[in-house]
Amino acid sequence: MRAGILKKNDELARALRQRFEMAGVYVVNLVSSPGTGKTALLERTMRELVAGGSRVAALVGDLETDNDARRLARSGADVRQINTHGRCHLEAEMIGDFLDAWDLSQLDYLFIENVGNLVCPSSYDLGEATRVVLLSVTEGEDKPLKYPTIFNSADVAIITKMDLAEACDFDAAAAQAAIEAVRPGMRILSLSSKTGVGMGTWLDALYSGRRTLAATNTPA
């Protein structure tokens, strides 16, 4: 039964990915455990993209509340809440259900904030162009070794809350080695949403992803 559910999800995700690519919207799926600073990162990211003239929207997954969606809406972007009512992850069908009222061709970026969990989201493709996994300095350097599947399925790893690194005695080299052990060659970014350190590199990565998508869609 589980295999059938995942197969159906994969089929829907492929259709979503094709729809996103045809519309020219760059889709980023953020996954992490609760408390990693995912919403804080997304709030600052969206605010800066909107200020720079980008057209941005977000889908926010949560078990029951809309707290994060209301917080992200302060960025000026269009934000919609998906309540999963007990499910520990978002699925492609949920994403598709919430897209119908949007003209995707009028968006540059669509962010998906997944439910806070490092296990279940790893098995569910949402049609995103890039999956980003977050690890905060407060969680410990060995998190990638404890949850290898989610790190192995992601395209980029972001170490968050770097403003707390010294206070937490965080060993950045050990964390990067743990990520490298799980996913050799994976791109790793370090930043602080609070101070802004590292945000420029993250935004440049988003701009680059969007440009690559646009170039792919440009007729030869």
Side-chain angles (χ1 to χ4, degrees):
M1 181 176 178
R2 176 175 166 78
I5 292 172
L6 291 177
K7 181 180 179 183
K8 177 185 176 184
N9 186 83
D10 287 344
E11 292 172 351
L12 292 172
R14 279 196 293 273
L16 281 176
R17 183 168 289 108
Q18 184 177 32
R19 186 175 170 188
F20 293 145
E21 290 175 353
M22 289 181 65
V25 57
Y26 183 59
V27 180
V28 179
N29 177 15
L30 290 93
V31 295
S32 75
S33 56
T36 307
K38 189 163 69 264
T39 305
L41 171 61
L42 197 48
E43 183 178 17
R44 181 154 188 164
T45 299
M46 293 170 66
R47 188 172 67 242
E48 297 200 16
L49 287 174
V50 169
S54 295
R55 301 169 298 178
V56 184
L59 292 171
V60 181
D62 192 276
L63 295 178
E64 298 295 344
T65 77
D66 65 350
N67 295 343
D68 292 344
R70 287 190 285 109
R71 179 176 168 185
L72 292 177
R74 296 187 307 215
S75 68
D78 195 352
V79 181
R80 294 178 185 171
Q81 179 71 54
I82 303 176
N83 287 128
T84 60
H85 304 298
R87 292 193 194 182
C88 55
H89 58 273
L90 294 174
E91 298 180 11
E93 185 173 17
M94 300 175 187
I95 301 301
D97 288 344
F98 278 79
L99 294 179
D100 289 343
W102 266 330
D103 180 354
L104 293 177
S105 68
Q106 297 302 307
L107 295 177
D108 298 317
Y109 299 92
L110 173 62
F111 293 96
I112 301 172
E113 182 180 355
N114 218 311
V115 178
N117 190 306
L118 280 180
V119 179
C120 303
S122 63
S123 300
Y124 289 86
D125 183 0
L126 302 181
E128 69 269 26
T130 300
R131 179 179 292 187
V132 178
V133 60
L134 278 63
L135 163 71
S136 77
V137 301
T138 58
E139 294 179 282
E141 298 85 355
D142 62 346
K143 204 97 182 195
L145 302 177
K146 292 180 177 178
Y147 300 91
T149 304
I150 192 72
F151 280 85
N152 197 39
S153 69
D155 304 292
V156 178
I158 295 181
I159 301 174
T160 61
K161 302 186 180 180
M162 287 302 294
D163 52 296
L164 300 176
E166 184 175 352
C168 295
D169 199 21
F170 180 71
D171 187 337
Q176 293 183 11
I179 296 171
E180 181 70 15
V182 173
R183 182 70 181 275
M186 186 181 199
R187 186 172 189 186
I188 304 171
L189 306 178
S190 300
L191 57 77
S192 167
S193 304
K194 182 177 181 180
T195 66
V197 169
M199 283 297 298
T201 303
W202 163 235
L203 290 171
D204 286 344
L206 293 173
Y207 294 139
S208 177
R210 174 75 175 83
R211 285 196 299 270
T212 299
L213 176 64
T216 302
N217 287 344
T218 301

